[in-house]
Structures are given as structure tokens and as C-alpha cells.
Amino acid sequence: MIKPLVITTCAVLAFNLFTFKESEPLTIEDYAEACGLTSDEFVLFSSVVEAESNRQAPEDGELTTQGRIFIALTIWNRINDSRWPSTAEGVLTQRGQFSTIRNGHSVTERSEWSDIAVVEAYNWIEQGDAPNVQFFNCRYYFSGVEPYDYVGGNYFSLGV
């Protein structure tokens, strides 16, 4: 079950991110710095989150944010697990993992929803209580990898 912390923290993060620079819009550099990525890594990361969350329309409100956060959590958890590449670019461009990547670039444009989700997922992991989801789709959810939850149109499973 999704913890209420996700919704609350996301709302606070969105408010803080959009007000801390005296009404100036946030830049890619601001988002990237908030989670320790380069600007190029952040754009690729957010674009993949956007592409993989294609089952969620913005009018879905918080569910849209939650689904994107869980996709971003999956990527962050892989980066932090020795069984996967140790960089965002390595995880995102790993052969056979994300169908939205072509020649090291995403074929989907990022969105504000996905930008916030990448940073929120990073913060959730930094707080130490994020689930160790590492897979999302029906194949892994039902094939012996420990299921976690169904969020935003995707089944999420824990790393083994």
C-alpha cells in the first residue's frame, strides 16, 4: 500500500521547488542539483519516467504523481543496487530495459510531473523508508519476484 507520506511530501516538494527562487521558474540545473545528477542525466531520467508513465493522464492528479514517483524509485533503486549499473545513464540505457531509449536518448519529452517525481523519489530514498521496488510490469509481478503494489497503471515488484 502506498504510504500517505508520498502525497504529502510531493505536495510540499512541489510547493518548495516552485517558490524557493522568488517566482523564477526552475531550471533543469535546479532539478538536477536537487538529486545529484548532471543536467543531461536528469533530462534523460525524467524523459524515461514520462514515457513509462504513459497510462496516466495529468487529470489523474495525485495518482499521476504517485505512479511517476514509483517509476523513478525503480530507477533510483537500480542505481543503488550492485546488480545494476551504478549511474543513471547506465541504468537508463542498459540494453533491453527501457524501450523508450534509442541510441542513448529518450524518444519522449519530459514533463513537469516527471521532473518532480524524479526529485521526490530521490528524497524518499534519502529519508530511508522507500520500498526497494526494482521492476514494474505484469511479467515480474506474477513470476516469483516479490510483488509490492499496483500504482498508476503499473505493477511494481521488489528487488530480490
Side-chain angles (χ1 to χ4, degrees):
M1 188 68 176
I2 299 171
K3 296 181 180 183
L5 170 70
V6 176
I7 296 171
T8 304
T9 314
C10 191
V12 170
L13 174 72
F15 174 77
N16 288 340
L17 283 176
F18 292 105
T19 59
F20 85 95
K21 290 187 111 181
E22 298 177 355
S23 301
E24 291 179 32
L26 287 178
T27 65
I28 295 300
E29 291 78 16
D30 294 328
Y31 284 117
E33 184 179 332
C35 52
L37 297 172
T38 67
S39 297
D40 289 342
E41 288 173 321
F42 186 85
V43 168
L44 181 63
F45 199 138
S46 182
S47 297
V48 168
V49 169
E50 182 65 25
E52 296 292 344
S53 67
N54 64 0
R55 294 180 186 96
Q56 305 165 22
E59 53 273 3
D60 289 343
E62 291 301 335
L63 178 60
T64 300
T65 303
Q66 289 176 351
R68 283 173 169 79
I69 290 169
F70 269 77
I71 291 166
L73 275 175
T74 299
I75 297 165
W76 281 118
N77 285 332
R78 288 181 179 189
I79 293 167
N80 294 322
D81 188 310
S82 63
R83 295 172 291 177
W84 301 90
S86 61
T87 65
E89 183 178 2
V91 168
L92 295 166
T93 61
Q94 188 175 22
R95 184 172 169 88
Q97 295 304 308
F98 297 100
S99 62
T100 62
I101 298 292
R102 302 281 187 275
N103 299 319
H105 302 293
S106 178
V107 297
T108 304
E109 293 292 321
R110 53 179 253 289
S111 73
E112 182 178 28
W113 288 98
S114 294
D115 290 349
I116 292 170
V118 171
V119 176
E120 175 62 19
Y122 175 82
N123 289 337
W124 197 10
I125 288 173
E126 288 297 302
Q127 292 170 5
D129 60 354
N132 187 27
V133 291
Q134 291 189 17
F135 303 99
F136 60 96
N137 69 29
C138 295
R139 186 179 74 202
Y140 287 115
Y141 195 80
F142 295 110
S143 69
V145 175
E146 187 177 345
Y148 179 73
D149 209 345
Y150 179 80
V151 183
N154 286 303
Y155 291 96
F156 290 87
S157 298
L158 299 173
V160 289

